[in-house]
Amino acid sequence: MKRTKQLIALLLATVLVLGLAACGGGSAGSPSPSASGTGGEAAPVVYRELYVMEATTLNYLVTSQTTEFELSANFIDTLVQYDQYGVAQHGLATDWSVSDDGLTWTFTLRDGVKWYKSDGTEYADLKAQDFVDSMHYICDPAHDSKTFDIVSSAVKNAQKFYSGEITDPNEIGVRAVDEKTLEYTLEAPTPYFLSMLSYVCFMPVNGDFLAEVGDRFGTSADTILYNGAYICQEFNPQENQVWVKNTNYWNADNVNIDRIERTYNAEALKLAPDMYKQGSVDQAKIPSELLQAWLDDASTADLVRPTRASYFTYWWLFNFDPQFDAAYEPDNWKLAVNNEAFRLSIARGIDRAKAEFPYEPNNPNANLINTITPEGFCDYSGTDYTQMGDLAAVSNTNPFNAEEALQYKAQAIQELTAAGATFPIKVLMPYNPGTTYWGESCQILEQQLEGLLGTDYIDIIVEAGPSTNFLSEVRKTGKYALMLCNWGPDYADPETYSDPWSLGYTYSWPEKTTQADLLTGYTYTAEDMSKGVFDEDKFIGTPETVYIKMVQEGKDEKLDIEKRYTSFANAEAFLINHAIVIPFHRQASDGYVVSKLSVFDRPFAPFGVANYRYEGAHLLDTPISMDEYYAQMAEWETAREAALAASASK
């Protein structure tokens, strides 16, 4: 498990190659000469940006929102970090080992790490007990941690304590052997456990401070402690944030930006491009309607580049438990959405390339995906996960088929008319106005889908929701019929992409299915389920119970990775084949941008919060161009392949 000198030498060599390619002797894309660490009395390096999505909490132990991950990733460090190639490195842990039976993981903590207050004063040493206190907090149902399921999927007795089956928190599988030695005990061997440790639910917390602030923990900048690369000096919701470099951070030499100034503006997406030209900000998203003008203008053509494709995947989600106003006819929608032919008419009728155009006008097919789990996330013996089991056929088939859509429409009209439904079916489709291109994409989808299926069949109603608290006010309360949703992986295993449809989540179907429901009336085989067989003589249940059963087969298989992956692949194919979900795209994080931030020297991982870290990034004199971006990406991909191969051989 330890990194060897040979691997370190290889990584240093590849970093040097990328650095020379990116910096190019004072050309565009070179780091600012005032960067920290250059000696003398250099001015602090300040990065300025606008933001439109506001964080609602700094309590990293309860949140599951990406808006808040960006903050916690920079304020709180993790046991394991990932370098710019996605290779696991030492973070707060300098060493780790796993027992022969795969159940006990032991970590040695880094010396000299301390907790700091928001004013920069030292509070306490980091200790192994801080990870124990964190785990006990998350496993307490009173705190309603939205990432508890990640913990309970691996850590021994976490679920039993949460449910009240045991009452002593010391029986949870985490303990401080001494101040510098931390031990986790797992329910079963979990080969991907190391990758889970870069996620928020495995971050530490100081128990004394937690007791001191009580319920105020995470409500302001001064009600959390910091041990990461940055300290939040100011946190004024819907006004501004100021992060300052933690000069006592153990890896401070790799933190090249001294100050990050973030200003809230509800019109940030419209204002930022002009503000960049005025020199007021250092990054701006370039919306599709401005992109061609920027590329045609000689003064801006070489400033625009794409952003990296994320491992967040986006899909349209049907709501089986509508809670919207009577004006949108929720009872009629219930009849429609529970009819598979109706769902398939929409799934086969969406021309995704047209819906993608606002996000990627140059190459709208580039980021489209046919699955929930993206290609390249994980593989078994060289076979990509998306090419395993029933998912292979799904992955290799374009779901848009106008002829089939119309056939399903005819079937749905016949079946729904008999069931008492009225037409057109109203389809409430809300969007967050603070998210780039979402509204435009919805409007295109409305026109395209109604044009194919007819306004006598469906009436898609596109409405702007609130830009703040959109998830809690719209999706989690069921105030939609069909909506674009997304999910990103938390650890390196396909199970992580099944979470939105697991018990207790507020996606798709109502929170009525319990574990008890799954233990009765079930005689299906995995083959039956993968084919979508529903026979009332064999099974009394609903699609969600079938899906959850299929997922459970994957969860139960810990060591046979091929069997595990195939089970998850079959379950994912089931969701898509029965139009519970309609895959859309793997979106580039911000589309096109003009940005002085360097790209390929920051931490990278398809899972966890590594990608949100500013550690390692440089502030450039001028942005890199499109050509420079693709050249650097090609070099990065070559270097990453070598780094991963070297890591796998150890």
Side-chain angles (χ1 to χ4, degrees), residues 75-365:
F75 301 159
I76 314 296
D77 219 345
T78 51
L79 288 167
V80 177
Q81 290 193 1
Y82 286 84
D83 65 14
Q84 68 267 51
Y85 306 114
V87 176
Q89 302 289 340
H90 301 140
L92 293 177
T94 57
D95 185 30
W96 54 80
S97 62
V98 59
S99 60
D100 291 340
D101 62 6
L103 294 178
T104 304
W105 290 70
T106 305
F107 297 84
T108 302
L109 299 188
R110 185 178 297 277
D111 290 331
V113 177
K114 298 180 183 297
W115 290 103
Y116 297 91
K117 293 184 175 183
S118 60
D119 61 5
T121 59
E122 180 184 325
Y123 184 85
D125 293 327
L126 177 78
K127 306 183 296 296
Q129 183 62 36
D130 297 338
F131 293 87
V132 177
D133 292 338
S134 168
M135 192 63 53
H136 289 179
Y137 183 96
I138 288 172
C139 292
D140 184 344
H143 297 132
D144 190 27
S145 173
K146 299 303 187 294
T147 56
F148 166 74
D149 63 297
I150 307 296
V151 170
S152 63
S153 71
V155 177
K156 184 176 181 179
N157 288 336
Q159 183 61 54
K160 289 182 179 179
F161 181 81
Y162 191 89
S163 64
E165 185 175 344
I166 62 175
T167 57
D168 183 359
N170 293 316
E171 293 186 49
I172 300 172
V174 58
R175 72 183 185 102
V177 178
D178 55 44
E179 286 198 353
K180 293 296 180 183
T181 309
L182 174 67
E183 181 181 277
Y184 287 101
T185 302
L186 309 184
E187 290 281 6
T190 308
Y192 52 88
F193 181 66
L194 201 68
S195 69
M196 301 175 82
L197 300 177
S198 66
Y199 198 51
V200 288
C201 53
F202 286 95
M203 288 177 173
V205 70
N206 182 278
D208 292 336
F209 183 80
L210 198 58
E212 180 182 323
V213 297
D215 292 341
R216 295 184 298 116
F217 182 70
T219 58
S220 60
D222 60 354
T223 56
I224 64 169
L225 295 178
Y226 305 80
N227 61 28
Y230 289 92
I231 292 173
C232 188
Q233 202 172 65
E234 296 181 31
F235 179 74
N236 303 303
Q238 298 192 349
E239 291 184 20
N240 74 310
Q241 300 171 15
V242 176
W243 310 354
V244 296
K245 176 179 176 178
N246 179 2
T247 56
N248 295 306
Y249 179 52
W250 67 269
N251 200 24
D253 288 346
N254 195 37
V255 179
N256 307 300
I257 298 174
D258 300 302
R259 184 179 174 93
I260 296 175
E261 297 177 352
R262 310 183 76 219
T263 303
Y264 175 84
N265 194 306
E267 300 296 319
L269 301 176
K270 296 179 180 179
L271 299 178
D274 283 338
M275 291 182 68
Y276 178 85
K277 290 181 178 180
Q278 297 163 7
S280 302
V281 296
D282 299 304
Q283 174 167 298
K285 298 178 185 179
I286 305 302
S288 56
E289 61 269 22
L290 292 181
L291 178 61
Q292 197 57 50
W294 276 62
L295 294 176
D296 290 342
D297 187 335
S299 66
T300 56
D302 288 336
L303 303 180
V304 182
R305 64 165 174 83
T307 54
R308 302 172 84 169
S310 73
Y311 282 81
F312 275 82
T313 59
Y314 291 71
W315 16 265
W316 289 286
L317 192 67
F318 287 105
N319 181 11
F320 288 78
D321 189 27
Q323 300 296 321
F324 42 74
D325 293 342
Y328 305 110
E329 302 177 358
D331 291 337
N332 201 48
W333 171 254
K334 264 189 180 179
L335 289 174
V337 76
N338 280 285
N339 180 276
E340 185 164 309
F342 174 79
R343 298 196 306 271
L344 285 169
S345 70
I346 293 179
R348 297 292 181 268
I350 294 178
D351 186 340
R352 298 175 306 153
K354 291 182 178 178
E356 176 70 4
F357 187 80
Y359 299 96
E360 176 48 273
N362 285 344
N363 186 6
N365 290 302

Side-chain angles (χ1 to χ4, degrees), residues 5-6 29 32 87 151 155 198 231 289 314 411 449 471 488 490 527 589 598 616 645:
K5 292 182 178 179
Q6 180 182 4
S32 167
V87 176
V151 170
V155 177
S198 66
I231 292 173
E289 61 269 22
Y314 291 71
Q411 179 183 343
L449 201 54
L471 292 180
D490 304 322
E527 182 180 2
S589 56
S598 59

Side-chain angles (χ1 to χ4, degrees), residues 16 58 67 89 99 104 202 266 285 289 301 396 417 421 431 449-450 518 537 554 600 611 627:
L16 179 59
L58 294 177
T67 305
Q89 302 289 340
S99 60
T104 304
F202 286 95
K285 298 178 185 179
E289 61 269 22
N396 299 329
T417 300
Y431 68 93
L449 201 54
E450 287 184 349
L518 306 181
D537 293 333
F600 297 100
N611 291 343
D627 289 342

